[in-house]
Amino acid sequence: MHGRPRKAPKPEDTAASAAKAEKLRALQSQLLHNHHNQIYTKEALEISAKLLEANPESYTAWNYRKLAVEHNLSQSESDPDTVKSIFSEELRVVESSLKQNFKSYGAWHHRKWVLSKGHSSVDHELQLLDRFQRADSRNFHAWNYRRFIAALKGIPDEEELKYTTKLIETNFSNYSAWHNRSVLLSHLLQNKVKGFFPKEKVLVEEYEFVHQALFTDPDDQSGWFYHLWLLDQTVKPETPLLVSTWPVHGSDIIVSAEGCLDGRALSPFTSFHSDAGTFPLILYFNEAVEGVNSSTVTVKSVFTENKDLVWKPLATSKSCAAQAWVTHLNVPDVKLHPSTAYPIEVNLGDSQGIVSLSGSHCSHPSRFAFTVCVQPLSSKHAERQSVEMILWRDVNFHFYDAHVQESSPIAYFDRLSIKKDREPAASKWHAKTLVNEIALVRQLLSEIDCKIGKLTLARLLMAHDAMMSYMAPHSHKKVHSEEVLQLYSDLMELDPMHSQYYKEAQSLVLLQQVTSNRESLLKHCCHHRVSTSSSVGNSVCLRLNNLSLSRIGCVEQLLWVQMLDLSHNELRSIDGLEAMQLLSFLNLSHNKLSSFTALEPLRLLKLLKVLDISYNEIGAHPVDTRRYLCSSPLSHTVGSDWNFNEFVPDDAKVTNYWEAFAIFRGFNLTQLDIVGNAITDEKFKSFLIKVLPTLKWVDGEESH
């Protein structure tokens, strides 16, 4: 356990273990007999006590004792002494069991259950906790129980905070004490308790306190983790904020029902094609929220009633919370009102209801407006409805001229992010604090080479750049990006065991560089050369290929993207793409996707037509059934209407096909490239053609 090598047991130890096992089996057998026959005599309870003192992890025994307590209480006729005796015996059994294993979940839960009944004194509990915390000051069971007792006794958070100070000053390495300190301070700051307001004053004192730990032992991670919590408290807004939308504020959206806009080279911010008679309205928040509905978000439109709108969270889990939310507005009837610009206004934050997972309400009112116009389909394009194959070769793309603003596909770049005004004094304090912490960590790193110190410096620098972008909205340059990238490269060499973590953090920095300003983003925007395809028209492709990305981020800046090239990266997950509701063409080839379940976010992209997942690692690894986000192929109740057996070949291995069926079922793809994956063969391609009847092209060949 915890890296300690196991020693070969001695013969006498083996014999003792066998004798103990035999004794436990006998006690377990007697317990089950008493349990099934509802025998709650004194002798029966003694048997359960002996079993628990030998094996505190016997959950059945704890549950049996709960039933016994309830039974004996019903027989006691409310005699106070008898009731007290019953609960005192339970506390004694728990204490004896904890001496055997003071990290037993069952024992701690049973003790909470006993005390919650309200018949026992809690005065003894803190003394008991002191003993256990002296034995192991990082026992999180004991700390959880301490919070329970403090709430039960009504001990003020201020008093418990002093207790953490005492333990930390005794041992800076007490991670659990630091963690409990963060929990207590969160409550005190949130409730603005006297002496803990304003927040800035408290955080300054906490920074000074944790500095002692960092300089005393820079290699100990306990203080650094608390420093990270302080950093989060410094930079994170106190309430959820709307940070991005599509359409963007002030834009003039031109919708084509057939996806063809008379051949005009329009910006992806202003052009959109719809075959379903609707177009998406996307809200993106700085954190996951719930409560987005027609009551908390008001959409004023002449062709859609606000009460009829259904908002959906864009999350791959079944959670009701998500950072991105979408609803769909009806497209005006072009035959009745051709080329009419319809104004649409969206308001939120005026009434409480949008809430973060931590319980904070979105209290900052937000408003954005845009217009929608339906472009009539020209006769020459109405005659041409063939579906051409999309090629992702370099020769099919050409870059935009960064100096020609009229042709820029990102003319609305400055409106991608919604900047919230901060209190000037507060903003200056945040910036000053970050500058001070950066200087302090630099000083420490000049004296000692510390991995977690480098990681903290990288986080501080990125937080400082983000803060500056809020204080100066028109200055998007990330000053410290190159230094942060180098820090993560150094960490990958110093700490190869966690290289994937650093790689993903580095990917986020790279994406922030790309999306930080108009010029850098335009370098990755290309025009796709397709001469006759009505489905593509003059699509702008955002090419983020060959960047060694292992994680997707900055999605709030990319809600407008309809064509995306992420090929030749190191992606193992595509979480985040579900927010990009306009995506119609996606290239994920030459990555490290190992299963079809990694494609789960794509199920939320209803407009996706072209998908390239060729040359990944799908089928090269055993199927991890724990990662299923869909029903099991062995289920007889969920998914029984999917008719899976109608599609899969008779001699096929179910696990090889089930993931693909569960992911692709319901897709309307016209083109799919899957060659170069271990799972791909002719039988599998035939299976996909059956599952996806809309397919016209498979691996570069026309499907039949």
Side-chain angles (χ1 to χ4, degrees):
M1 186 177 182
H2 300 300
R4 297 176 184 175
R6 291 188 178 185
K7 297 180 180 179
K10 298 177 181 179
E12 56 269 25
D13 294 334
T14 303
S17 297
K20 181 181 178 181
E22 183 63 31
K23 179 183 177 182
L24 286 174
R25 278 194 291 268
L27 290 171
Q28 183 80 9
S29 177
Q30 294 178 67
L31 171 81
L32 293 175
H33 171 77
N34 294 333
H35 191 13
H36 292 157
N37 293 283
Q38 298 181 3
I39 300 173
Y40 304 122
T41 62
K42 182 179 179 180
E43 293 75 14
L45 286 172
E46 287 177 356
I47 290 171
S48 67
K50 289 179 180 178
L51 174 61
L52 287 168
E53 288 169 6
N55 178 23
E57 298 305 316
S58 178
Y59 290 98
T60 302
W62 290 118
N63 290 332
Y64 167 76
R65 291 194 70 89
K66 288 181 177 68
L67 294 172
V69 168
E70 298 289 356
H71 172 79
N72 292 331
L73 286 175
S74 67
Q75 304 295 318
S76 66
E77 299 180 354
S78 302
D79 177 45
D81 292 335
T82 303
V83 171
K84 183 177 180 180
S85 174
I86 290 172
F87 284 112
S88 295
E89 175 62 14
E90 293 307 302
L91 293 175
R92 185 198 67 77
V93 171
V94 172
E95 190 168 343
S96 296
S97 300
L98 288 174
K99 290 176 181 177
Q100 174 68 20
N101 178 11
F102 57 80
K103 293 186 177 181
S104 168
Y105 285 89
W108 287 110
H109 288 164
H110 194 72
R111 197 168 188 89
K112 281 185 179 181
W113 179 81
V114 171
L115 289 172
S116 66
K117 294 297 181 179
H119 296 285
S120 306
S121 172
V122 296
D123 295 334
H124 172 66
E125 300 307 298
L126 291 179
Q127 298 175 13
L128 177 69
L129 281 169
D130 283 338
R131 291 210 308 270
F132 283 120
Q133 289 181 318
R134 279 197 298 270
D136 181 3
S137 61
R138 299 181 63 164
N139 182 354
F140 69 89
H141 298 277
W143 280 100
N144 286 337
Y145 188 68
R146 185 179 188 90
R147 285 189 284 272
F148 169 77
I149 293 298
L152 211 59
K153 285 177 65 68
I155 300 175
D157 287 342
E158 301 94 304
E159 291 300 316
E160 285 297 285
L161 190 68
K162 291 178 181 177
Y163 179 74
T164 65
T165 303
K166 174 184 173 183
L167 291 189
I168 290 169
E169 288 177 342
T170 303
N171 178 13
F172 281 132
S173 187
N174 193 332
Y175 174 83
S176 295
W178 286 111
H179 171 71
N180 201 47
R181 189 176 187 85
S182 68
V183 173
L184 294 166
L185 270 176
S186 295
H187 296 160
L188 293 166
L189 293 172
Q190 186 175 2
N191 297 323
K192 297 182 178 179
V193 175
K194 184 179 179 181
F196 295 87
F197 184 82
K199 181 179 180 179
E200 291 78 11
K201 173 179 173 293
V202 178
L203 292 181
V204 167
E205 294 172 352
E206 291 301 305
Y207 273 118
E208 292 175 354
F209 183 52
V210 78
H211 290 165
Q212 301 175 47
L214 301 185
F215 277 88
T216 300
D217 187 0
D219 288 322
D220 185 83
Q221 296 186 1
S222 302
W224 287 109
F225 278 116
Y226 187 71
H227 188 276
L228 176 61
W229 178 80
L230 289 176
L231 174 60
D232 186 59
Q233 296 300 306
T234 302
V235 301
K236 184 180 179 181
E238 295 185 2
T239 60
L241 299 175
L242 180 69
V243 295
S244 184
T245 69
W246 193 91
V248 297
H249 177 62
S251 58
D252 302 309
I253 303 300
I254 301 177
V255 179
S256 166
E258 301 294 342
C260 188
L261 298 167
D262 286 339
R264 301 183 206 175
L266 297 176
S267 165
F269 289 103
T270 59
S271 61
F272 174 75
H273 69 267
S274 171
D275 298 326
T278 63
F279 67 93
L281 173 60
I282 310 168
L283 305 178
Y284 198 98
F285 296 85
N286 66 322
E287 59 181 312
V289 297
E290 54 188 18
V292 177
N293 52 53
S294 58
S295 298
T296 54
V297 180
T298 304
V299 180
K300 297 179 181 179
S301 166
V302 297
F303 52 85
T304 300
E305 289 286 338
N306 182 67
K307 62 181 178 62
D308 296 331
L309 295 178
V310 177
W311 288 91
K312 296 181 179 180
L314 295 172
T316 54
S317 66
K318 294 183 180 180
S319 171
C320 295
Q323 276 192 269
W325 288 74
V326 67
T327 191
H328 289 83
L329 304 182
N330 294 324
V331 175
D333 190 342
V334 67
K335 295 179 181 178
L336 296 177
H337 305 284
S339 302
T340 300
Y342 295 89
I344 297 177
E345 181 179 321
V346 183
N347 291 276
L348 66 151
D350 294 319
S351 60
Q352 291 192 343
I354 300 176
V355 187
S356 70
L357 296 178
S358 63
S360 300
H361 289 266
C362 181
S363 57
H364 290 274
S366 297
R367 174 194 173 276
F368 64 98
F370 55 94
T371 63
V372 175
C373 176
V374 180
Q375 174 68 40
L377 183 67
S378 65
S379 58
K380 66 177 182 178
H381 290 116
E383 298 172 357
R384 187 183 70 233
Q385 294 299 321
S386 63
V387 179
E388 267 199 24
M389 183 172 63
I390 303 300
L391 300 176
W392 298 93
R393 298 175 304 192
D394 289 343
V395 295
N396 294 97
F397 297 93
H398 74 80
F399 291 95
Y400 283 85
D401 188 344
H403 300 290
V404 183
Q405 292 297 319
E406 291 76 9
S407 66
S408 173
I410 50 174
Y412 287 89
F413 176 84
D414 291 333
R415 303 178 193 175
L416 284 179
S417 296
I418 299 173
K419 305 294 185 183
K420 298 292 181 183
D421 294 331
R422 290 175 178 261
E423 186 70 29
S427 294
K428 290 180 180 178
W429 177 84
H430 289 89
K432 181 181 178 181
T433 300
L434 291 174
V435 169
N436 289 342
E437 294 305 306
I438 289 170
L440 181 137
V441 176
R442 286 193 193 281
Q443 178 188 344
L444 188 131
L445 290 175
S446 68
E447 300 171 3
I448 184 172
D449 195 15
C450 172
K451 289 184 294 186
I452 196 166
K454 287 178 179 288
L455 179 60
T456 301
L457 179 59
R459 289 168 171 166
L460 284 166
L461 293 173
M462 292 307 297
H464 182 266
D465 281 355
M467 183 66 64
M468 290 298 101
S469 71
Y470 273 102
M471 294 180 67
H474 300 292
S475 177
H476 299 280
K477 187 176 181 181
K478 303 295 183 183
V479 178
H480 298 105
S481 293
E482 292 300 328
E483 182 180 359
V484 174
L485 290 173
Q486 185 58 52
L487 282 168
Y488 282 123
S489 295
D490 294 344
L491 284 167
M492 280 185 267
E493 292 184 11
L494 287 170
D495 187 14
M497 183 178 295
H498 300 103
S499 60
Q500 186 60 33
Y501 174 84
Y502 303 130
K503 184 68 177 174
E504 291 185 3
Q506 193 177 57
S507 296
L508 294 181
V509 180
L510 285 168
L511 287 169
Q512 287 175 359
Q513 273 190 324
V514 170
T515 60
S516 63
N517 59 69
R518 184 195 308 271
E519 290 71 26
S520 61
L521 187 58
L522 194 59
K523 291 177 182 177
H524 295 270
C525 289
C526 300
H527 174 71
H528 189 270
R529 294 172 174 169
V530 178
S531 57
T532 62
S533 175
S534 61
S535 63
V536 179
N538 293 296
S539 287
V540 174
C541 180
L542 180 63
R543 303 200 74 190
L544 301 177
N545 55 324
N546 287 299
L547 294 179
S548 299
L549 299 177
S550 60
R551 181 180 176 183
I552 293 169
C554 300
V555 178
E556 69 276 10
Q557 297 284 84
L558 307 176
L559 300 181
W560 54 274
V561 176
Q562 300 178 36
M563 192 174 197
L564 178 62
D565 184 358
L566 287 167
S567 63
H568 295 86
N569 282 300
E570 299 174 17
L571 295 171
R572 290 180 167 87
S573 166
I574 57 171
D575 288 346
L577 287 186
E578 64 273 6
M580 300 173 65
Q581 289 291 291
L582 275 63
L583 265 185
S584 297
F585 312 93
L586 177 61
N587 185 359
L588 292 169
S589 65
H590 296 275
N591 275 283
K592 295 184 177 181
L593 302 173
S594 61
S595 67
F596 285 109
T597 52
L599 303 176
E600 181 71 14
L602 301 186
R603 289 194 58 79
L604 297 172
L605 302 181
K606 304 303 181 183
L607 300 176
L608 192 63
K609 299 293 183 183
V610 175
L611 176 63
D612 189 344
I613 52 173
S614 60
Y615 298 100
N616 274 274
E617 300 174 3
I618 299 173
H621 307 282
V623 176
D624 184 0
T625 56
R626 294 171 300 175
R627 296 186 61 241
Y628 274 129
L629 301 177
C630 46
S631 56
S632 164
L634 304 179
S635 171
H636 297 289
T637 55
V638 181
S640 58
D641 60 333
W642 286 11
N643 301 320
F644 174 65
N645 292 330
E646 294 182 9
F647 298 92
V648 68
D650 294 335
D651 58 345
K653 189 176 180 181
V654 172
T655 52
N656 286 345
Y657 286 75
W658 174 252
E659 279 190 327
F661 178 76
I663 294 297
F664 288 126
R665 177 180 176 271
F667 271 33
N668 293 310
L669 295 178
T670 58
Q671 178 178 325
L672 176 64
D673 292 279
I674 197 170
V675 68
N677 288 283
I679 197 172
T680 307
D681 55 25
E682 290 303 317
K683 284 185 179 180
F684 190 75
K685 287 169 65 175
S686 299
F687 162 75
L688 288 176
I689 292 172
K690 290 181 182 179
V691 175
L692 297 164
T694 55
L695 275 182
K696 301 298 180 184
W697 302 94
V698 180
D699 287 339
E701 298 179 353
E702 193 167 1
S703 64
H704 301 286

